[in-house]
Amino acid sequence: EIGSLDWARQCPWVAVPKHLAGAKRFVIMVVGDSMTPGLSIGDRVVFEYHRSPRKDNQVVIANLSAFGVDSSGRTCGAVKRLIQDAEAWIFRSDNPAYKDIRVAKSECQYPILGTMVAVLKSVDSAS
């Protein structure tokens, strides 16, 4: 869906080093603990837009109803490790307290929004 980006004016903006910036790149802030110890709550992570994963065990951000729905009814995104077999996408957390989420490829052809490029150091995102 294409719409107005007026809501983005209220979002915090972060500086991204030139070597990590790109036309297809975006930054998210981690809000959960499913990827600890590698990613912690509050970490800012650079992702590159890709609809198809590049390799197994890659950290991706995905958009699936299995991750929940926000207060406005939009499907939530989640950062996970991606593993796949012939029939399914398997989203795995680094934190062993979370179970894998398995989604049939026949139900969702392109669940990936992007692949992880780098975690911003606090010095990188300081304004």
Side-chain angles (χ1 to χ4, degrees):
E1 174 180 334
I2 297 176
S4 170
L5 291 178
D6 290 340
W7 58 270
R9 290 188 182 116
Q10 301 170 25
C11 294
W13 291 84
V14 296
V16 176
K18 283 186 179 187
H19 71 280
L20 293 176
K24 293 184 174 187
R25 292 190 174 177
F26 57 96
V27 177
I28 64 103
M29 185 171 71
V30 176
V31 296
D33 67 349
S34 70
M35 291 302 288
T36 59
L39 297 174
S40 300
I41 294 172
D43 282 350
R44 290 189 168 113
V45 184
V46 178
F47 281 86
E48 186 165 292
Y49 173 76
H50 285 298
R51 297 299 283 168
S52 300
R54 300 298 185 241
K55 57 188 174 185
D56 267 357
N57 215 29
Q58 189 168 25
V59 176
V60 300
I61 185 165
N63 188 30
L64 294 168
S65 58
F67 299 138
V69 176
D70 69 13
S71 60
S72 66
R74 290 184 297 225
T75 302
C76 294
V79 177
K80 302 288 181 193
R81 286 200 184 276
L82 179 70
I83 298 153
Q84 58 181 316
D85 59 29
E87 294 85 33
W89 307 104
I90 302 155
F91 296 94
R92 181 163 292 155
S93 298
D94 285 352
N95 183 337
Y98 292 84
K99 294 182 180 179
D100 289 354
I101 296 173
R102 186 178 177 89
V103 178
K105 288 182 177 178
S106 61
E107 292 175 24
C108 187
Q109 189 174 6
Y110 297 108
I112 310 304
L113 298 176
T115 56
M116 188 172 88
V117 175
V119 178
L120 292 176
K121 297 177 180 120
S122 57
V123 123
D124 289 336
S125 59
S127 345

